[in-house]
Amino acid sequence: MNSINKLLEDLNKEQKEAVLSTEGPNLVVAGAGSGKTRVLTTRLAHIINEKKAWSSQILCVTFTNKAAKEMQKRVMNYVSNPSNSVPWLGTFHSISVKFLRRHAEALGFKSNFTILDTDDQKKLIRKIIKAEDLDAKKFSPQLIMYHIDKWKNKGLLPNNVKLEKSNFLEKSILKVYEIYQNKIKDLNACDFGDLILYCVKLFEEHQDIRKIYTKNFKYILVDEYQDTNFIQNKWLNLLVNENQNICCVGDDDQSIYSWRGAEIKNFLTFDKIYKNCKVFKLEQNYRSTKNILETASSLISNNTNRVGKNLWSSASQGELVKLNCYQSGKEEAQGVSDIIEHKLKKKYSLNNVSILVRAIYQTREFEERFLKVGIGYRVLGGTKFYERAEVKDAVCYLRIISQKYDDLALERIIGVPRRGIGESTLNQIFSFSSKYKLCLEDAIIRKLELNEFKPKIKNGLSQLINMIHKWREDSKKTKHYDLLKLVLDESGYSSMLKDKKDLENENKLENLKELLRAMQDYDNLQSFLEHVALATSIDQEWEGAKINLMTMHAAKGLEFDVVFLPGWEEGLFPHQKSLEEKGDLALEEERRLAYVGITRAKKEAYLSFAMKRAYHGDWMDALPSRFINEIPDNSVEKNEIEIERNMDEFEFNQDNSIEFDDEYRSPGYERFKKNKALKWKK
């Protein structure tokens, strides 16, 4: 008996049916932890082993290179002739490159075209912005790239984009897009978005080329189909032949990337596009305990735009999902830390413990706590809080205000925001500083006095030095956290981020708000800067296991023994901005995100919310997330946790302190208790 037969024997009934149904259009609705990858891999190996097609006649699309490599490796273990790899197994982009290398001339390119990276794109766009005399503050490369990428994901080249007449901003960006496309074509180059878009153009305009591939690909297999965008789905549909042997695998309940262009309707309408489609539902979960699964299933059942399935598990009932209520965000971090330290470390490796947050700035309070108690941690899919570029920029502004001889700080902020100060100017200042043994600030002042800079550079440097001197005076009479607000506003740093309306800059702004919140835990600027220095200099490469910190988005596809899901409060989760922009559609996606978060847990899950959060220096009552009301009472243990306050703990400054009365409960908390009439454990 060869390995593929053994593999088939080990599949459950639904998995086996999904593998063996090789003909016609198939949609495999694979719930969380239901063995999706196993089914896809086995199906691919089965087609090859049964000689239904040569490996070169199968198109298999994944979303990451890592997934493609893993699948290639597994298939080679299962097929009877492992010498033959699957040449058309890869990501949308890697396969598109193969198509375009072969047929570039049909689109007016040479086959050795260059693929531009992000830096190349930014440089080219900056040149266009300058040439078109556009306001660099209003039209940043990031903003323009965001719009270009959005249009390309929708399959729109410049001549296909339709705009409202009144939208001046997008009109200008569209003009840049047109110039940009012409320039990269002149360079015999493509960017990442072009790869799929040009393939679609190739297949639509050259039916003879398209026929080569529709005839060749007897079977098409697609992983993570719920994450496809418009142009990726069109690409797939153009490659399906008359036999329609396409099998798409995914989970509509885990569609959480609409902000990246993913369209859940591709998944939901698959059976309408392909009329004879067979739908297979993988509902047995092999990952989580019954209580975790019941909690997640009950929550996601509130969505209406879904295929629908009933996940079940043969695993034990397991521990109840814990729902913990804390008085503040700081106490939430302390409470989670205590649970890990006193309970979980004895049972699990820290490598199998994860904290999943809705917004990346939430990691700060947990990082602070872990540093304090010496628990090792890593931030997956992101950077540690005090190492984030915008946080380092803000701290460097404060450092140069505090200490004029901090050349490293001044060097970092001299060009942020842009002041027309390039590398050659910096080198002049460095040389002058070294020659006359001056700090950078004094070197700049001296060179300004000698009138040795060009007018534009002189103006930029004069403004910066004058602002630094003003801020030093301000620091004598202004609270340190108010000083940072002043610096961010007057330097133009805040407006630099606000003017570029994309997700990256929104996250940066949130991180800066969290930094302002963090500063209020310290009496003065000096003590805060000392804390930052110590936090960033501590050797964080602890030996042994580490807790995993990440966003829920970054956690998709991963699993852990224990998962903590903090910050389940209205406005934070579901996220208010998402709701404002997309309404009910966003609410359903936020709920899918909650489902993804809970189903990462294999053995234990902890949900939590705080009664109060600090926003911009003000304490605000928090209302528990509406998702909590959608969780079944019988699978959850509800705990009201009061943290013992240690005098050694750093506290808020006197002006901002809050007296916690044991009898006091926030309006949000009271509404929650009244609504649910819950019995809470103390």
Side-chain angles (χ1 to χ4, degrees):
M1 184 179 290
N2 64 31
S3 55
I4 184 70
N5 288 335
K6 176 67 170 70
L7 201 65
L8 284 167
E9 279 184 10
D10 290 342
L11 299 177
N12 66 37
K13 180 175 174 287
E14 291 77 16
Q15 289 174 330
K16 196 170 183 177
E17 285 175 356
V19 167
L20 297 178
S21 177
T22 56
E23 308 311 298
N26 289 187
L27 182 68
V28 181
V29 185
S34 63
K36 164 181 73 70
T37 305
R38 190 180 190 188
V39 166
L40 195 63
T41 307
T42 309
R43 182 184 176 95
L44 178 54
H46 172 69
I47 290 169
I48 297 170
N49 258 14
E50 291 299 308
K51 296 184 172 53
K52 291 177 178 291
W54 299 109
S55 59
S56 59
Q57 295 173 315
I58 303 169
L59 174 65
C60 186
V61 190
T62 65
F63 262 81
T64 66
N65 289 313
K66 184 182 177 184
K69 285 178 183 176
E70 183 62 29
M71 193 174 293
Q72 192 80 256
K73 184 180 173 183
R74 288 193 193 185
V75 168
M76 291 304 97
N77 289 331
Y78 302 146
V79 297
S80 52
N81 185 6
S83 60
N84 295 325
S85 64
V86 184
W88 294 101
L89 194 166
T91 63
F92 281 98
H93 293 95
S94 67
I95 293 168
S96 292
V97 171
K98 284 188 179 182
F99 290 143
L100 292 177
R101 294 282 186 215
R102 291 182 174 191
H103 308 286
E105 287 79 6
L107 294 171
F109 289 90
K110 294 182 178 66
S111 61
N112 63 343
F113 61 85
T114 303
I115 302 169
L116 302 184
D117 61 20
T118 304
D119 285 342
D120 295 327
Q121 287 177 269
K122 284 180 182 175
K123 285 175 187 173
L124 186 53
I125 289 169
R126 279 196 195 101
K127 287 180 181 176
I128 298 169
I129 291 167
K130 191 175 180 181
E132 292 298 305
D133 200 26
L134 293 172
D135 185 346
K137 290 182 179 178
K138 191 179 286 186
F139 297 94
S140 68
Q142 289 93 332
L143 178 67
I144 291 169
M145 284 165 66
Y146 166 78
H147 280 274
I148 289 175
D149 195 51
K150 180 181 71 174
W151 286 325
K152 288 184 177 181
N153 284 342
K154 292 182 181 294
L156 301 173
L157 284 163
N159 59 323
N160 306 124
V161 178
K162 301 288 187 275
L163 298 177
E164 294 177 16
K165 290 180 181 179
S166 59
N167 198 324
F168 169 76
L169 184 75
E170 285 203 341
K171 271 186 177 179
S172 300
I173 293 172
L174 179 57
K175 188 178 179 183
V176 174
Y177 180 19
E178 188 175 0
I179 297 167
Y180 169 80
Q181 285 301 113
N182 290 331
K183 283 191 176 295
I184 60 174
K185 193 163 186 179
D186 290 342
L187 294 168
N188 191 41
C190 296
D191 64 22
F192 216 53
D194 286 329
L195 297 175
I196 300 173
L197 183 57
Y198 279 148
C199 275
V200 167
K201 185 177 168 68
L202 176 74
F203 297 143
E204 285 185 327
E205 294 179 359
H206 300 273
Q207 291 295 320
D208 55 332
I209 295 174
R210 180 187 168 196
K211 276 183 183 177
I212 295 170
Y213 295 102
T214 55
K215 190 176 178 182
N216 178 70
F217 295 137
K218 292 187 176 182
Y219 296 92
I220 297 175
L221 284 70
V222 188
D223 193 15
E224 303 288 5
Y225 183 57
Q226 77 282 344
D227 293 335
T228 54
N229 60 30
F230 173 85
I231 197 67
Q232 288 166 338
N233 198 48
K234 192 170 184 179
W235 183 98
L236 281 169
N237 291 335
L238 284 167
L239 288 167
V240 177
N241 61 27
E242 59 189 16
N243 294 323
Q244 296 190 341
N245 293 335
I246 179 171
C247 175
C248 294
V249 182
D251 184 5
D252 53 314
D253 289 336
Q254 296 187 69
S255 179
I256 58 174
Y257 296 121
S258 68
W259 50 275
R260 263 184 357 201
E263 296 192 5
I264 192 173
K265 72 176 182 182
N266 293 342
F267 197 99
L268 299 177
T269 59
F270 184 86
D271 60 344
K272 295 180 178 60
I273 294 168
Y274 297 100
K275 301 294 185 185
N276 300 317
C277 170
K278 296 177 187 172
V279 179
F280 300 92
K281 295 184 181 181
L282 307 186
E283 296 175 309
Q284 184 175 358
N285 175 283
Y286 292 91
R287 177 186 298 153
S288 307
T289 63
K290 286 180 180 175
N291 278 322
I292 291 171
L293 208 55
E294 285 166 13
T295 302
S297 295
S298 179
L299 180 67
I300 199 63
S301 68
N302 290 277
N303 275 4
T304 54
N305 291 310
R306 60 192 294 258
V307 174
K309 53 186 174 299
N310 297 304
L311 287 187
W312 62 277
S313 173
S314 60
S316 65
Q317 201 68 33
E319 292 197 31
L320 292 171
V321 172
K322 307 297 190 299
L323 174 59
N324 295 335
C325 169
Y326 297 93
Q327 292 200 32
S328 68
K330 182 179 175 182
E331 295 200 1
E332 183 179 49
Q334 188 178 337
V336 169
S337 165
D338 288 348
I339 293 169
I340 292 168
E341 191 73 20
H342 300 132
K343 181 186 174 186
L344 299 181
K345 276 178 75 175
K346 300 170 186 176
K347 294 170 64 177
Y348 307 104
S349 164
L350 291 186
N351 288 331
N352 278 315
V353 177
S354 186
I355 299 171
L356 309 183
V357 296
R358 173 60 182 88
I360 191 64
Y361 74 83
Q362 290 175 263
T363 66
R364 201 273 306 172
E365 285 183 310
F366 293 97
E367 290 186 58
E368 297 265 19
R369 181 66 188 172
F370 294 153
L371 286 168
K372 183 176 179 65
V373 299
I375 295 177
Y377 73 93
R378 64 173 71 85
V379 179
L380 293 184
T383 310
K384 292 173 180 177
F385 184 80
Y386 288 113
E387 293 173 8
R388 292 167 195 167
E390 61 281 5
V391 173
K392 290 177 80 170
D393 289 342
V395 169
C396 281
Y397 268 108
L398 295 172
R399 280 168 49 185
I400 194 62
I401 293 167
S402 176
Q403 211 266 90
K404 71 176 282 186
Y405 298 100
D406 194 336
D407 286 357
L408 291 173
L410 183 54
E411 183 184 348
R412 182 176 181 96
I413 58 96
I414 200 167
V416 189
R418 291 183 175 275
R419 299 184 176 91
I421 300 158
E423 201 169 323
S424 63
T425 305
L426 278 172
N427 288 334
Q428 288 177 42
I429 299 168
F430 290 144
S431 298
F432 191 88
S433 162
S434 179
K435 184 176 178 180
Y436 294 102
K437 294 183 170 52
L438 299 170
C439 66
L440 282 190
E441 184 178 327
D442 286 344
I444 292 168
I445 293 168
R446 184 69 182 124
K447 281 180 74 67
L448 284 168
E449 290 169 352
L450 295 169
N451 201 24
E452 293 186 359
F453 295 116
K454 292 176 181 176
K456 188 178 177 182
I457 295 168
K458 181 182 178 180
N459 186 49
L461 287 170
S462 296
Q463 282 184 351
L464 178 61
I465 295 298
N466 289 337
M467 283 190 294
I468 290 170
H469 290 171
K470 175 191 174 292
W471 294 331
R472 284 189 187 131
E473 288 301 311
D474 291 334
S475 70
K476 297 172 185 176
K477 54 184 184 294
T478 307
K479 292 279 188 186
H480 51 296
Y481 43 86
D482 288 330
L483 176 68
L484 180 57
K485 288 180 190 175
L486 208 65
V487 169
L488 293 172
D489 288 341
E490 293 182 355
S491 67
Y493 201 99
S494 291
S495 58
M496 175 185 76
L497 297 180
K498 288 174 182 174
D499 290 342
K500 307 168 191 170
K501 298 188 185 298
D502 60 29
L503 185 65
E504 184 184 354
N505 286 304
E506 286 169 16
N507 285 337
K508 287 180 178 181
L509 282 167
E510 289 297 334
N511 283 330
L512 290 174
K513 291 170 188 174
E514 183 62 18
L515 181 67
L516 286 164
R517 221 297 293 138
M519 292 178 72
Q520 296 177 50
D521 289 343
Y522 299 88
D523 293 329
N524 52 53
L525 179 58
Q526 198 59 45
S527 62
F528 173 68
L529 290 175
E530 284 173 7
H531 166 74
V532 174
L534 289 169
T536 51
S537 64
I538 289 173
D539 182 9
Q540 295 181 24
E541 295 303 316
W542 289 276
E543 291 186 7
K546 301 173 193 173
I547 292 169
N548 303 283
L549 278 167
M550 70 192 83
T551 64
M552 287 184 237
H553 284 101
K556 188 170 170 292
L558 304 177
E559 58 182 42
F560 305 92
D561 286 338
V562 185
V563 168
F564 290 88
L565 296 150
W568 279 45
E569 300 139 30
E570 285 294 307
L572 179 52
F573 193 43
H575 202 280
Q576 188 61 34
K577 194 170 188 302
S578 295
L579 299 186
E580 288 171 358
E581 289 180 353
K582 295 181 181 176
D584 288 344
L585 290 176
L587 179 60
E588 293 216 343
E589 181 156 337
E590 292 283 301
R591 192 177 282 113
R592 292 196 292 270
L593 192 55
Y595 172 83
V596 167
I598 295 170
T599 56
R600 299 311 93 196
K602 295 196 291 186
K603 296 176 181 176
E604 296 187 46
Y606 294 77
L607 314 182
S608 59
F609 65 93
M611 293 186 286
K612 297 175 180 291
R613 290 266 176 200
Y615 292 99
H616 312 294
D618 298 320
W619 283 93
M620 297 182 68
D621 295 319
L623 180 64
S625 170
R626 70 191 75 185
F627 297 153
I628 291 173
N629 286 343
E630 298 172 356
I631 291 173
D633 288 347
N634 60 354
S635 62
V636 178
E637 176 188 304
K638 304 169 183 74
N639 305 299
E640 182 185 339
I641 300 192
E642 294 191 14
I643 303 294
E644 286 186 25
R645 287 174 181 78
N646 189 325
M647 293 304 290
D648 293 333
E649 292 278 331
F650 54 75
E651 295 294 342
F652 289 97
N653 297 319
Q654 197 169 353
D655 291 349
N656 292 279
S657 64
I658 287 182
E659 294 294 326
F660 286 103
D661 186 339
D662 287 341
E663 296 302 312
Y664 174 81
R665 294 291 180 262
S666 73
Y669 175 82
E670 293 296 345
R671 286 197 296 273
F672 178 63
K673 275 201 163 181
K674 188 178 179 181
N675 187 23
K676 290 290 284 184
L678 298 172
K679 292 181 179 179
W680 289 74
K681 294 183 179 181
K682 287 198 175 184

